[in-house]
Amino acid sequence: MKKNMIMVALLLGMAGSLSACSSTVAPQINPVPYYTYYPASLATVVSATERALPAAGMRFTGTKTVNAQTVELRGYTAGGDAILITLHGLGASVTKFDARIGLYGHLRDVQDIEHWVGKYVGEAISAPAN
C-alpha cells in the first residue's frame, strides 16, 4: 500500500511539473515493464485503450467491468496471441495499466499499445473543456 502511495505521489508530481508542456502525450511512469500509470480517469483510459489496440495493428474484442475500479479489455495481436489489459482506477485522476500478452509477455507489443494509449490519453486530458 505504501509503495502504491509513493507511486501516486511521484505521478502527481511529474504530472504537475509537465502541466505547462504543450505535449499531447500523457506522461507515463513505468516502474516495471507491463505496468504504467496514467494521469487520467478510468473511463478516459478505457476509451483510449479501446482505440489503441487497432492503432497498434491489433484486434480489440471486448471490455468487461470487473468492479467500479477495475476494467478488463481483451484482444489479439496480429500473430494471434491473446491480450489481456487490466485497468485499475486508483483515484479520480490516476489509472494503472497492466498488460499481458500470450504466455511469454511480448514487451514490444505492450510498448506499442502503451504508446497509443499515451497518445489518446494525452489528447483527452489536453482537450479544452466545453
Side-chain angles (χ1 to χ4, degrees), residues 6 16 27 32 34 39 47 50-51 54 67 71 75 77 83 88 90 99 121 128:
I6 291 171
V32 176
Y34 306 100
S47 175
E50 289 174 354
R51 293 175 58 199
N67 58 43
V71 175
T77 64
I83 300 170
H88 299 281
L90 300 178
V121 167

Side-chain angles (χ1 to χ4, degrees), residues 8-21 27 29 39:
V8 170
L10 288 172
L11 174 68
L12 294 175
M14 183 177 156
S17 67
L18 295 175
S19 63
C21 296
I29 298 175

Side-chain angles (χ1 to χ4, degrees), residues 36-51:
T36 303
Y37 293 84
Y38 292 98
S41 69
L42 179 61
T44 299
V45 180
V46 168
S47 175
T49 305
E50 289 174 354
R51 293 175 58 199

Side-chain angles (χ1 to χ4, degrees), residues 42-93:
L42 179 61
T44 299
V45 180
V46 168
S47 175
T49 305
E50 289 174 354
R51 293 175 58 199
L53 286 173
M58 300 173 197
R59 186 166 53 106
F60 169 69
T61 58
T63 303
K64 174 185 172 187
T65 301
V66 176
N67 58 43
Q69 294 84 25
T70 306
V71 175
E72 292 180 347
L73 295 96
R74 295 181 185 270
Y76 291 94
T77 64
D81 291 312
I83 300 170
L84 172 61
I85 297 172
T86 306
L87 302 174
H88 299 281
L90 300 178
S93 61

